[in-house]
Amino acid sequence: MKHPLHPIAVHLPLGLWPASVVFDLLSRAEVGGNAMVRLSFWAIVLGLVATLIAIPTGLVDWLQIKKEKPARKIGLLHMD
């Protein structure tokens, strides 16, 4: 497709996990009741599912970088 897929795929976990923290804090402040706890749980679960999409797309994108390019080494460090 000529465009890397990994940067697109990581947006969901990067948004859902901080949202789960906000939902947890709201539930601790007794705002929204049990709905905030459920929202936090599902934000974590969906973030994990989205991560299962982000990991292989990152690997595919990384494998397409030529070995002599500095971005290949940076991507390898990013995987650590």
Side-chain angles (χ1 to χ4, degrees):
M1 290 179 17
K2 305 267 182 181
H3 296 286
L5 295 174
H6 182 67
I8 296 167
V10 298
H11 279 86
L12 279 173
L14 287 176
L16 287 167
W17 289 333
S20 73
V21 172
V22 171
F23 296 144
D24 276 341
L25 292 173
L26 288 172
S27 73
R28 291 289 221 156
E30 299 180 7
V31 175
N34 199 32
M36 291 299 139
V37 175
R38 288 192 306 267
L39 280 171
S40 177
F41 172 78
W42 286 110
I44 292 168
V45 170
L46 291 174
L48 290 171
V49 170
T51 300
L52 294 176
I53 297 167
I55 291 170
T57 59
L59 185 59
V60 167
D61 290 347
W62 179 74
L63 289 171
Q64 293 176 354
I65 300 171
K66 294 180 178 154
K67 292 185 180 182
E68 65 272 1
K69 298 287 183 176
R72 181 132 175 147
K73 184 176 181 182
I74 293 169
L76 186 61
L77 292 172
H78 176 68
M79 281 191 256
D80 254 351

